[in-house]
Amino acid sequence: MNIPDKVKVGYKEYEVQMEKHLDDETNLLYGCCYYEEETIKLCTKYTENQQKCTLVHELVHAIDNMNDIGLTEDQVVKLGKGLYQLIKDNPNMFD
Ligand SMILES: [Zn+2]
């Protein structure tokens, strides 16, 4: 799994941007999803594995937003981790 430049979620096409610093004064941020701008930012100071896991997490946010599901942050965290593990464990699932 490589980190793509763009990911489609419904009718939106998110641009994936790599950033050296994403943290603000109070939060340590691995990534961020901007629905209106259709942009996902990933922080490059973490491992590639972490960046991929963060991308899946932000995509769960994007899917939640697109489909108006109303997931809590805790649910997004757990779904993101579960999906990332599933993708890693079954890389050829749809070949
Ligand atoms: Zn989140």
Side-chain angles (χ1 to χ4, degrees), residues 29 31-33 35 54 57-58 61 72-74 76-77:
L29 288 176
C32 216
C33 188
Y35 308 120
T54 302
H57 174 94
E58 300 306 337
H61 274 302
T72 65
E73 181 64 24
D74 190 52
V76 173
V77 166

Side-chain angles (χ1 to χ4, degrees), residues 36-69:
E36 303 305 320
E37 296 88 345
E38 299 184 18
T39 302
I40 290 172
K41 292 186 178 182
L42 299 176
C43 187
T44 56
K45 70 181 175 187
Y46 303 105
T47 64
E48 200 181 328
N49 218 28
Q50 180 62 61
Q51 290 171 35
K52 290 174 181 176
C53 188
T54 302
L55 176 59
V56 173
H57 174 94
E58 300 306 337
L59 287 170
V60 173
H61 274 302
I63 292 165
D64 178 43
N65 175 262
M66 172 60 62
N67 296 287
D68 205 15
I69 303 170

Side-chain angles (χ1 to χ4, degrees), residues 19-24 27 29-32 34 41-43 45:
E19 301 278 341
K20 279 186 183 164
H21 300 285
L22 276 183
D23 301 346
D24 58 28
N27 294 303
L29 288 176
Y30 294 98
C32 216
Y34 301 90
K41 292 186 178 182
L42 299 176
C43 187
K45 70 181 175 187

